[in-house]
Amino acid sequence: MIADGAESTANKRSGATSILQQSLRPAGYAPETFAGKAPHRLTADRIQTLREFVAESAKALEVPGVGIALIDQGKVVWQGGVGVRELGSSEPVDEHTKFMVASNTKGMATLLLSVLADEGKLKWDQHVTDLYPAFRLGSDEVTKSVLVRHLVCACTGLPRKDYAFILADGGAPASDTFKQLAQTQPTSKFGELFQYNNLMASAAGYLGGALAYPDMELGAAFDKAMQTRIFGPLGMPDTGFSFDVGESGNWARPHGLDVNGQMVEMSNHFNHLITPHRPAGGAWSTAADMARYAQLELGKGLTPEGKRLVSEANILERRKHGVPIGENAWYGMGLMERVVSGVTVVTHGGTLQGYHSTFFVLPETGIGAVILTNADPGAAMLAPFLRRLLEVVYDGKPEAAQSVAAAAARVKAQAKVRRAKLTVPGDAAVLAGLAKTYRNPVDGSTITFRDQGGTPWVTAGFIEGPVATRKNADGTVSVVSVGPGGIDVDALVGNRDGVRTLTIRDSQHEYLYNEVK
């Protein structure tokens, strides 16, 4: 499918374009369906088949390590790992190896809201400003319309605004979430479209913390509420938000592709950006702990030991179909529900630099799975794993392995194309014409250039690395950071009224930096 249009429109219409793309089929093609078929149980042979698939996929995608858990009839039937915690090490990944689970934190935060709803501290259809009067969005009309359920519905019209905290200086407090939301304008009508916004999800978690512990600082209140209401009672001892704890002992290091497409270990510095907004994606967890989280979903609020943690009504409220995100797929509240080949699947993914995670729950079968990976290409393993799980459970056509092979080839091809467009090291004349420091007049964040051991180096918020240059099709020039990982600085070099500028764009925002003289 070839789409021709503005990037900003494509971003706003991602749900609609996904429906179009996923529903394009050859004439006469009948999609495979497992509706009405009895599932196989995850016997030892089937478990081994799934483990082998993960190992083969990790090898094809060059992912060093994967944490895995498999659940059948609500019970963990296998948990462990494949590969190693870091390249060059012999330390294996096991079920207790810590990974960052990124946006899977969102579902945990809405689980906290579910518990608080049981406690009578909130109602899903209550206005957020009634509970937290300081809550503001860039539009007064939308502010007044936001109910608790809308905080994590991805349906309020607010666009993604991640570069606002990627490029920010470190050390912001939890309250920065609400400060940034007050400066964010909706770009589509309320309830009209799927637009993923991390700041809104962050606000949901902090609202929960404030309701649970109103006299504490927002971040500390959220951390304590998650520990006392969720992680502790559910038996998730290795799950939390501390980087000091996460980056110690049995933890998986993040990995990504360098500018030449080679897999390398990365610093975890970039991922510290999530701290002020951690309800949206800051949790560390393990395959064993995430299995218990998935079991709670299968048990509709009952822990694996049969204890009621949250009411069935309020845990299922998070799964209610909201805005469409694709064909037979909807976003709820920190959870997605899909119908895949006739099978209902509850899921959510998570992405940070060098970490990708997902869990799948098949409510009608009692089957679930957790996959945690420690490399950027690990993202390409997640959807094929669900396909392989369905193949194993329902005797489906063997298509998953081919999907992984295609993804591995695509990752290599994309890296090669990106490298071909870059001048590494950067064009000397372009680099010589840059100012040493640029500042954003709106938030005061800076971009700086320096020489590091003979290599031109850029630092912009939580991004840093060597600098390359790229000549664009329209004759302009951009400077690009080329450290390992999938997120970089890509700044257009310019000049306005004699002042040197750099301009960074995401799909719906522009960040202008002026030279500091």
Side-chain angles (χ1 to χ4, degrees), residues 456-515:
W457 199 266
V458 63
T459 299
F462 288 87
I463 302 174
E464 61 176 347
V467 184
T469 56
R470 184 187 64 240
K471 187 172 182 180
N472 302 314
D474 61 359
T476 59
V477 175
S478 296
V479 291
V480 182
S481 64
V482 290
I487 301 175
D488 55 28
V489 171
D490 192 323
L492 181 69
V493 178
N495 191 297
R496 295 189 183 185
D497 301 323
V499 176
R500 288 176 288 185
T501 64
L502 294 176
T503 303
I504 297 174
R505 297 186 179 96
D506 63 19
S507 57
Q508 296 190 58
H509 300 96
E510 181 176 285
Y511 305 87
L512 175 67
Y513 288 75
N514 299 317
E515 68 171 303

Side-chain angles (χ1 to χ4, degrees), residues 98 223 239-248 272 278 282-284:
K98 290 170 289 187
D223 295 349
T239 303
F241 299 97
S242 168
F243 276 87
D244 288 339
V245 174
E247 296 171 346
S248 66
H272 285 241
R278 54 192 176 276
W284 291 83

Side-chain angles (χ1 to χ4, degrees), residues 30-339:
E32 185 176 31
T33 180
F34 305 126
K37 292 188 68 173
H40 294 296
R41 304 273 52 105
L42 293 184
T43 59
D45 287 347
R46 291 189 170 87
I47 291 169
Q48 185 60 30
T49 296
L50 291 169
R51 291 175 60 187
E52 289 172 356
F53 175 79
V54 171
E56 291 163 0
S57 298
K59 182 178 180 180
L61 294 164
E62 300 181 35
V63 175
V66 186
I68 318 161
L70 300 172
I71 301 162
D72 190 16
Q73 295 180 295
K75 299 183 183 299
V76 175
V77 293
W78 192 85
Q79 57 186 12
V82 164
V84 294
R85 302 174 204 169
E86 62 178 317
L87 279 175
S89 167
S90 60
E91 295 180 320
V93 171
D94 61 27
E95 65 270 30
H96 300 300
T97 300
K98 290 170 289 187
F99 296 75
M100 294 200 75
V101 297
S103 285
N104 270 303
T105 312
K106 292 179 173 67
M108 298 175 183
T110 58
L111 184 58
L112 170 63
L113 297 185
S114 298
V115 171
L116 294 173
D118 284 341
E119 295 177 11
K121 288 185 166 58
L122 64 83
K123 297 178 181 178
W124 296 111
D125 293 318
Q126 193 169 3
H127 286 91
V128 174
T129 50
D130 291 342
L131 297 167
Y132 194 79
F135 176 77
R136 289 288 182 277
L137 301 177
S139 161
D140 289 341
E141 180 183 355
V142 177
T143 299
K144 296 173 185 176
S145 302
V146 176
L147 308 178
V148 172
R149 69 171 63 254
H150 296 141
L151 289 173
V152 201
C153 72
C155 67
T156 58
L158 265 69
R160 198 164 189 142
K161 201 179 179 184
D162 295 352
Y163 265 95
F165 52 85
I166 290 173
L167 298 172
D169 297 331
S175 58
D176 189 62
T177 281
F178 294 96
K179 177 183 176 182
Q180 290 199 39
L181 280 173
Q183 300 169 353
T184 305
Q185 295 284 345
T187 58
S188 59
K189 293 180 181 178
F190 191 92
E192 179 185 30
L193 298 169
F194 171 74
Q195 289 212 71
Y196 199 76
N197 185 286
N198 279 304
L199 294 170
M200 286 289 277
S202 178
Y206 287 141
L207 172 66
L211 293 175
Y213 299 104
D215 297 327
M216 295 180 69
E217 181 270 332
L218 278 172
F222 171 72
D223 295 349
K224 185 174 182 179
M226 291 299 295
Q227 182 58 44
T228 57
R229 261 71 166 196
I230 308 299
F231 301 149
L234 189 48
M236 300 172 69
D238 295 316
T239 303
F241 299 97
S242 168
F243 276 87
D244 288 339
V245 174
E247 296 171 346
S248 66
N250 184 1
W251 72 290
R253 276 65 167 180
H255 299 78
L257 301 180
D258 67 12
V259 68
N260 296 311
Q262 301 301 306
M263 184 66 70
V264 297
E265 182 179 340
M266 297 188 289
S267 162
N268 201 40
H269 168 76
F270 176 87
N271 293 327
H272 285 241
L273 64 85
I274 200 63
T275 296
H277 317 289
R278 54 192 176 276
W284 291 83
S285 194
T286 67
D289 280 11
M290 287 295 293
R292 295 185 66 83
Y293 174 69
Q295 285 176 287
L296 188 78
E297 292 293 336
L298 284 170
K300 297 179 181 179
L302 292 175
T303 69
E305 293 73 33
K307 182 179 179 181
R308 175 65 64 184
L309 176 67
V310 58
S311 67
E312 181 174 330
N314 279 320
I315 194 172
L316 294 183
E317 191 74 21
R318 296 151 59 245
R319 301 184 196 174
K320 282 189 175 179
H321 294 180
V323 287
I325 56 176
E327 186 183 34
N328 299 320
W330 306 266
Y331 204 83
M333 290 191 288
L335 294 177
M336 303 173 187
E337 185 165 291
R338 303 176 182 274
V339 178

Side-chain angles (χ1 to χ4, degrees), residues 415-426:
K416 186 176 180 180
V417 168
R418 177 177 184 264
R419 177 63 181 84
K421 294 179 179 179
L422 297 173
T423 299
V424 183

